[in-house]
Amino acid sequence: MEAAATSKVDVLIIGAGPAGLMLSLWMAKLGVKTRVVDKRTGKIVSGQADGFQCRTLEIFDSFGIGHKVWHEANHMHEVSFWNPDEDGKIRRHHRGPNTQPKLSRFTEAVLHQGRVESILIDTIRASASPKHPLVEIERSVMPTSLHIDESCVDDEDAYPVEVTLRHLTEEEATPTQRLSNLQDGLYRSNLAEDDTERLLANTAGVGREEKVKAKYVVGCDGAHSWVRKTLGEEYQMKGESTDAIWGVLDIIPITDFPDIRSRCMIHSAEFGAMMIIPRENKLVRVYTQLKQVSTGTGRVDRSQITPDVILETARKILSPYTLDYHYIDWWTAYQIGQRVGDRFSKHNRVFLTGDAVHTHSPKAGQGMNVSMGDTYNLGWKLGLVCKKLLQPHVLDTYELERRQIARQLIAFDHKFSRLFSGRPAKDASDEAGSSMSEFQQAFREAQLFITGVGIHYQPSILTSDSDLKGGLQGTETPSQSQVTSLAESAAHCQPGRRFASQIVLSQADARPWELQLHLPSNGRFRVVVFGGDISQATQLATVNKLGGWLQANVLSPTKSPRISLAPGPDPRGGSGSSQWMTDEDPSIVDVLLVHSAPRDKIELLQDLHEVFHPFDKKLGWDYGKVFADDHGKAHKHYGVDPGRGAVVAVRPDGYIGLVTGLQAEDGWTRLQAWFGGLLRPSPSSS
Amino acid sequence: MEAAATSKVDVLIIGAGPAGLMLSLWMAKLGVKTRVVDKRTGKIVSGQADGFQCRTLEIFDSFGIGHKVWHEANHMHEVSFWNPDEDGKIRRHHRGPNTQPKLSRFTEAVLHQGRVESILIDTIRASASPKHPLVEIERSVMPTSLHIDESCVDDEDAYPVEVTLRHLTEEEATPTQRLSNLQDGLYRSNLAEDDTERLLANTAGVGREEKVKAKYVVGCDGAHSWVRKTLGEEYQMKGESTDAIWGVLDIIPITDFPDIRSRCMIHSAEFGAMMIIPRENKLVRVYTQLKQVSTGTGRVDRSQITPDVILETARKILSPYTLDYHYIDWWTAYQIGQRVGDRFSKHNRVFLTGDAVHTHSPKAGQGMNVSMGDTYNLGWKLGLVCKKLLQPHVLDTYELERRQIARQLIAFDHKFSRLFSGRPAKDASDEAGSSMSEFQQAFREAQLFITGVGIHYQPSILTSDSDLKGGLQGTETPSQSQVTSLAESAAHCQPGRRFASQIVLSQADARPWELQLHLPSNGRFRVVVFGGDISQATQLATVNKLGGWLQANVLSPTKSPRISLAPGPDPRGGSGSSQWMTDEDPSIVDVLLVHSAPRDKIELLQDLHEVFHPFDKKLGWDYGKVFADDHGKAHKHYGVDPGRGAVVAVRPDGYIGLVTGLQAEDGWTRLQAWFGGLLRPSPSSS
């Protein structure tokens, strides 16, 4: 063992799967000094997760990579339910849209995890610049010890977490299991043993060790999370397993089953259930319940599970249709269970994300999405705290917001997977059976949650309370919000939900844009001003008065928080999109204006306050912040009265923080109070 | 000088600009042994061409790269015309759409040439496989001699063209002109001297020479084309120059001119004309007429032309608006002229393309588009002849089709650039002035041509005659077509025009698709069957009878031409799209079916003949060839009566070859005759 070196880093990420890579992408975009380690020698090349939900695709789009995934993925437009008919033969009972129309500009799409990891890694690399250090993925490196110096966890300049990293040999980092020519499908399954203990025990003179002192450590290290185990007993996940075992095959199917390119939920009378997920490149993923290996006695005999066993089961379920394959890409099997941790962080210095803190069954295509959702939520907070732009207590909201989602996920999966694994009821009197209509209804009702579009964070310092009755169902903690929204101003923009996209026209060049694309993930907050019909002189005056106030009072560059008075990044792709927040331009609030006046009645430079077209002495005016909403269609969709207007403050992750009015008496003070609770005074005013 | 080696290659491409790269892409996709040489040391990184017309974007899409260019480019939706008012002050006289709506799913888009060259080169590289040799771009290599052995130009196995290639030193391949820190903007301009002669004269012991024997040589070597000059006097371009000189600046403008992000055509009263092209990454291209350097005495004094001179002119034209910049990306100047060659090929063994055979002014954004259009037209013909799938005489159609386009381009540019450079008429009696309304009208009327969507190839062996009156205007040669279309069957599918796109639903999975994306550029012809309402038993029987005839008679695998009975490539991106025509699957005709029955009334495998869902023993059925046209909207757009149906045969470049009916008496024989005139007997039947 070589002597240990010690280095310092702002953020140390353990695990380079989807959760770790999403976090790395934030760090790369925000220019935070980061290391990412993964104990495996390379990224996966087939199998594993494959489903991308609408909200995840919107998030990819906010990083400028949505179109790449969308182009390569298979889009799942349809779902078919097949149930046994009176004779016990399967029959198509229902066919309908897989994703509720108009929830998002995307639909659920399917592409294998490894391909998306490649796109993420390329984007992380492309974010490097002289001002932004390269965030490299270090393979074959695992942590062997973690210690938190509790005496300095409240000192923001301290590096309280010390981690020992071991550089593994190639042999250690490569799983040895192989089965014929196919990688053993079970080696990453929850039926498999974890090799961490074995690797830790192997101290026999191999590999180099080093010590790293970090401000923050994030465990993105999966269901067997070493970080979680290291944090102690109280971080153990709680939940249960059923005895239902399911097998998975990724094949190019040869079949006369008519709906093989449709998503299918199939229940056979006798042989269990099956799901079909049509994939990219002619692949189809087949999930089949493996009744014959569900021993119910605890331990499952792994040797019983082979691709042939899964295929045979699928054939029985699909009978009288045939199923065969020549090409198999991957296979696995798993035991259904739902577990979630109580605690997602320790001292806001070590965080757990993704499978490290919640596990469930894969069939609803949630795992990779919720895992990336965790680190998409955490990343900007961590990055802006490291850059001393955000108050550190905002980090509390990570656990608050994501534990709620994890618990909703577990509850959904508990219900859905039990209904799916159940034997179909023969009739209404068959109480031991699952009701197929109840199953279909559960799938339909869960749409908002499944797509990720329905995520609704509870009130907190980040999310204002609504002054309307009702509001969020099932929140678990009392509101921590210090500001109340005037929710009526933009009735369909609920605080805590994602700011939806509508098509608007650029004032400067008439290009139609998805408005969401002008809220890229670059660490900035947004003040979206819905100006209403500013061809009316009084309405224009109100909007410009707000502009003046934004510039001169609360949001001036010398006060907190700092508003962007420099032109924003070009939302088009290419080199333009790498113009993220930089040290030269530390603006943290962007202002956008959407008005419903006829576009040709407005002259951008002449009619509107400079805050809506900021000037830079090298780049000139910014032409990208004002949008015309022809015929007020978007105003209507956002619930804004064009005669009154509204202001919506949006968090850097695209979730709505505050809704208020255009006028001083209702709007400005709330905006000031909300930002005041989040942002730090800028250096020049402190 | 080292001793010359001799090697053999099917196709030798001289020049790696847009024309050469488009041709290289075809060769890479079709797996033809190709070399590409360019005398420069690297590709351009800024400036040059920047406009992409709708049809070019459709062509990119057919190679799976349209979305990349579209994502990065600036989309030009609007054009503004500014003319002097009564006081001689410029004023916005008209603002309207830059591209006629609904011509294409794209609009004109702008991105600098170097970025698109990068995307093309990456795609060429990604097309390499064990079966498809890598097509590499060899830099710093120029031809020094070319000899055609006329004794064997008719022997398809011969390599009649011998070319000597010299590998230049780094110094020779790098232009020496520099002006301050900016590359001399004029070095690729038509005002500059060409350095080919100087390089050829330099035989003093530098560089390695080699001899290459090629079946075909293609000159993509620009306006100073060495290949053209080598072919002799009769290949000289003919035309004229005006004394109008224009300057070009690529800058990030600092200006209060309100329409700076709109395409603008500006005529000042006294200081000449100007065009504004808003670009990606905040750049704007400014074209200004340089009246002060238009000496009219022939030779232009290049030293008079600097970025400052161009800026000063622009300022005068824009006055009273201001114009300045901090950042300049590139600049140049050019003299307006139009020249075109009479002959585009010699013995169908050496071809001229792009600027090597037609030059004109750049302001209508045509040059790069027409140049790539040339090689897009030539590439598949050359590739399929090399693969012995196409009869060699089809190569005659390259000159026939593209010379017609070049002449139309020259005529358009002649009119447009003279109107643009003209002094605006003060009133109707001012005969020396240009009429601004005539100028606007010329721009509007040329839309179909400018967008590339209106290209209409004349009848030939590739393009059937229409039986309808009227037809193509202004064709110059008598029809060479041997087949006549039943044009009424699909009244809006004119032979010789590109097969337009409509959105249809995949029968197998309900995904909406642009139909054009299922006609990728992979070397295959298509038989698009418009089945009409096949929920009617008689109509279904007609369609299936045609299917049977296609499979069993004319198009069986053992006869000529060969139809695809293997599943086609996956039109999604990623690895799937590299499944082009291969040696294992030399099918050259794809069959697609679009029907207007309600989608849920049709079962793909059960109701339709196998030719519409071919089977492969490794890949199963093909689910990607049948589309539902909900409510018959696409049928209507293509001009097909859903009660009768139609058959449209489409060339590998997406142009319509033949339109006919579904029935034996009107459809089958025409289809057989058309393919018979083009395709070679397959080896097994010859």
Side-chain angles (χ1 to χ4, degrees), chain A residues 75 78 281 570 575-576 599, chain B residues 78 281 511 570 575-576 599:
Chain A
H75 306 177
E78 201 164 60
N281 285 337
D570 191 326
S575 53
R599 177 170 161 268
Chain B
E78 204 163 60
N281 284 336
R511 175 170 174 175
D570 191 325
S575 53
R599 177 170 161 268

Side-chain angles (χ1 to χ4, degrees), chain A residues 67 71 74-75 78 92 254-255 261 281-282 509 511 568 570 572 575-576 599 603 617 621 623, chain B residues 71 74-75 78 92 254-255 260-261 281-282 509 511 568 570 572-573 575-576 599 603 617 621 623:
Chain A
H67 67 294
H71 182 73
N74 186 45
H75 306 177
E78 201 164 60
R92 185 198 296 145
I254 302 171
T255 179
R261 294 302 309 173
N281 285 337
K282 299 180 190 291
D509 68 3
R511 174 170 172 175
D570 191 326
R572 291 168 208 93
S575 53
R599 177 170 161 268
E603 291 289 345
K617 63 185 195 301
W621 304 104
Y623 301 92
Chain B
H71 182 73
N74 187 45
H75 306 176
E78 204 163 60
R92 185 198 294 144
I254 303 173
T255 179
I260 193 71
R261 293 301 309 172
N281 284 336
K282 300 181 191 290
D509 68 5
R511 175 170 174 175
D570 191 325
R572 289 168 208 96
S575 53
R599 177 170 161 268
E603 292 288 346
K617 63 186 196 301
W621 303 103
Y623 300 93

